[in-house]
Amino acid sequence: FCDDMNDKFSKAMVSGDYNTIASMYTDDAVSLQSYEPMWVGKDAITQGNKKDLTESGMKWSNLTGKTMQIFGTGDTKIEIGTFEATFTMPNSTTAMTDHGKYINVWQKQNDGTWKLRADTWNSDMNPYTSQAGAKPKDNNGN
């Protein structure tokens, strides 16, 4: 199920569809974003993604996730994976790329669907190291 959910999430990010993203979370979900306080609850996740996807001026052109491991029992599964992204910052026409890792905690719902109960992600590319001229490592440690 993770590949299908990652594909749905990625397509929604690229199209700026924050409502589809929000529909993938439980009502009491927690999203641990980089450089921001936790987004607690579906309403906060919706508003945070709305700000990021429609109000910030940032435009995603690609986001792909790759599941590396899934473990857990019963109605809770933990997914660990990697991502690659391409996006354009506000007031820029130059595409930027990023890659990193994520953890998703999936919870099976009463109707049999799976939704995100918690997630977090971060880049492998340290902006401070990059600014100092060091080459960041890729997902293979190279």
Side-chain angles (χ1 to χ4, degrees), residues 64-108:
T64 56
K66 181 179 178 186
T67 303
M68 306 302 289
Q69 295 179 41
I70 300 173
F71 55 93
T73 58
D75 293 343
T76 302
K77 302 289 183 198
I78 298 166
E79 172 195 12
I80 297 174
T82 60
F83 72 85
E84 295 197 16
T86 307
F87 53 91
T88 306
M89 296 300 287
N91 303 315
S92 175
T93 57
T94 304
M96 299 177 70
T97 60
D98 192 9
H99 56 84
K101 61 272 186 198
Y102 65 88
I103 294 178
N104 289 330
V105 178
W106 296 96
Q107 187 175 58
K108 192 171 191 178

Side-chain angles (χ1 to χ4, degrees):
F1 73 94
C2 289
D3 289 340
D4 291 340
M5 299 304 279
N6 286 333
D7 187 52
K8 180 179 178 180
F9 191 95
S10 296
K11 286 178 181 174
M13 286 290 288
V14 169
S15 69
D17 184 357
Y18 59 89
N19 286 315
T20 292
I21 293 169
S23 75
M24 297 176 70
Y25 288 86
T26 63
D27 290 341
D28 58 349
V30 177
S31 187
L32 308 166
Q33 303 290 313
S34 293
Y35 310 113
E36 292 203 22
M38 286 187 267
W39 296 347
V40 179
K42 189 185 280 191
D43 289 342
I45 292 167
T46 302
Q47 291 309 309
N49 279 307
K50 179 180 180 185
K51 181 184 88 173
D52 285 353
L53 295 175
T54 64
E55 298 169 8
S56 72
M58 188 170 138
K59 176 66 178 148
W60 294 81
S61 56
N62 180 56
L63 176 64
T64 56
K66 181 179 178 186
T67 303
M68 306 302 289
Q69 295 179 41
I70 300 173
F71 55 93
T73 58
D75 293 343
T76 302
K77 302 289 183 198
I78 298 166
E79 172 195 12
I80 297 174
T82 60
F83 72 85
E84 295 197 16
T86 307
F87 53 91
T88 306
M89 296 300 287
N91 303 315
S92 175
T93 57
T94 304
M96 299 177 70
T97 60
D98 192 9
H99 56 84
K101 61 272 186 198
Y102 65 88
I103 294 178
N104 289 330
V105 178
W106 296 96
Q107 187 175 58
K108 192 171 191 178
Q109 305 301 293
N110 291 335
D111 65 1
T113 61
W114 290 87
K115 292 194 176 192
L116 286 163
R117 176 62 179 87
D119 68 355
T120 190
W121 59 270
N122 55 60
S123 175
D124 290 339
M125 300 172 66
N126 182 329
Y128 304 109
T129 303
S130 298
Q131 290 171 1
K135 182 180 175 223
K137 293 185 178 189
D138 63 19
N139 282 331
N140 298 316
N142 300 313

